[in-house]
Amino acid sequence: MPFCPSVRWGVMDLKDRRAQLSHALTSVADGDRDALKTVYHLTSSKLFTTIVRIVRGKERSEDLLQEVFVKVWQRAGRFDPSQGSPITWLCTIARNTALNDIRRNHRQHELARDELPEVEDTRLQPADDWLCAEEDSAKLSACLDTLKPDHRQSISMAFYEGYTHSELAELVDVPLGTMKSWIRRGLAGLKGCLDA
């Protein structure tokens, strides 16, 4: 499928979007190709953004987006709405596909001159699936602003750009334990703020 999202997440209410997407994924699991088109149109823009932030290349990201939807076609039966939102499940597939591609191709990060470049949005480690569903919310932005700059930037680089703890520690020239601590504390602060 060529990348051309036609439906944006902001058009529908969150509950309606989740219900429509959950229903479409159930239909995809039953082999409904039209339902896959619905999933694509509802989510391709968000999933493409997730991929391109990690891979940093439009053409490669488009290829990986297609790979994501092949996986969705093959794995839709594994989606369990009682375990989380459909966009979180899809976002996790997109993120992991992009990160695996980077690891497979041994991408070398270009280290910036700044200690840790500022990025617009946040990215967390794959285990923190709750963030993917929250990434468009104003509350998340407000909560990010409450974090210490080193925590916020470390989380951003890990989540959106796919840096490992080791790569981040090397990038800012701090011990690995310090970087892990920054990310752990930042995630705890962010989760606490979002849960409040």
Side-chain angles (χ1 to χ4, degrees):
M1 284 179 223
F3 175 67
C4 61
S6 62
V7 177
R8 297 189 184 272
W9 276 100
V11 175
M12 293 183 254
D13 144 284
L14 179 63
K15 190 175 179 180
D16 292 341
R17 290 189 309 235
R18 282 187 180 168
Q20 183 179 6
L21 193 50
S22 289
H23 177 72
L25 282 171
T26 300
S27 297
V28 170
D30 292 334
D32 185 341
R33 291 180 183 270
D34 288 334
L36 182 63
K37 289 178 186 176
T38 298
V39 173
Y40 179 85
H41 289 298
L42 287 172
T43 64
S44 59
S45 179
K46 185 175 186 108
L47 300 181
F48 180 78
T49 300
T50 298
I51 295 167
V52 81
R53 284 176 177 153
I54 297 169
V55 176
R56 300 182 191 174
K58 185 176 181 246
E59 287 183 21
R60 186 65 194 138
S61 296
E62 289 172 347
D63 291 343
L64 291 174
L65 183 65
Q66 286 186 326
E67 188 177 319
V68 166
F69 281 98
V70 169
K71 289 178 182 178
V72 170
W73 177 255
Q74 295 168 341
R75 301 177 186 175
R78 298 182 194 173
F79 171 67
D80 181 355
S82 69
Q83 299 296 313
S85 76
I87 192 60
T88 299
W89 186 75
L90 292 163
C91 222
T92 300
I93 292 172
R95 182 176 52 237
N96 289 342
T97 299
L99 291 172
N100 287 339
D101 183 70
I102 288 168
R103 290 180 187 124
R104 216 176 17 247
N105 295 310
H106 306 291
R107 178 186 81 179
Q108 296 296 315
H109 293 285
E110 291 182 14
L111 301 182
R113 292 183 185 166
D114 296 336
E115 279 194 357
L116 202 53
E118 187 68 46
V119 287
E120 290 182 25
D121 295 314
T122 55
R123 246 206 99 189
L124 298 181
Q125 301 161 324
D128 299 296
D129 294 337
W130 52 269
L131 182 63
C132 192
E134 296 282 346
E135 83 176 27
D136 290 328
S137 76
K139 185 174 182 180
L140 176 62
S141 295
C143 288
L144 281 168
D145 289 340
T146 68
L147 299 179
K148 291 181 178 180
D150 52 2
H151 296 176
R152 180 179 61 248
Q153 293 171 340
S154 298
I155 289 170
S156 295
M157 296 294 288
F159 188 77
Y160 276 125
E161 305 209 19
Y163 283 93
T164 66
H165 291 151
S166 299
E167 289 171 329
L168 285 169
E170 182 181 331
L171 177 65
V172 297
D173 195 26
V174 297
L176 180 58
T178 299
M179 180 54 64
K180 287 182 178 180
S181 176
W182 285 357
I183 291 176
R184 185 175 52 251
R185 289 179 187 162
L187 289 174
L190 192 56
K191 181 106 170 106
C193 180
L194 288 169
D195 287 344

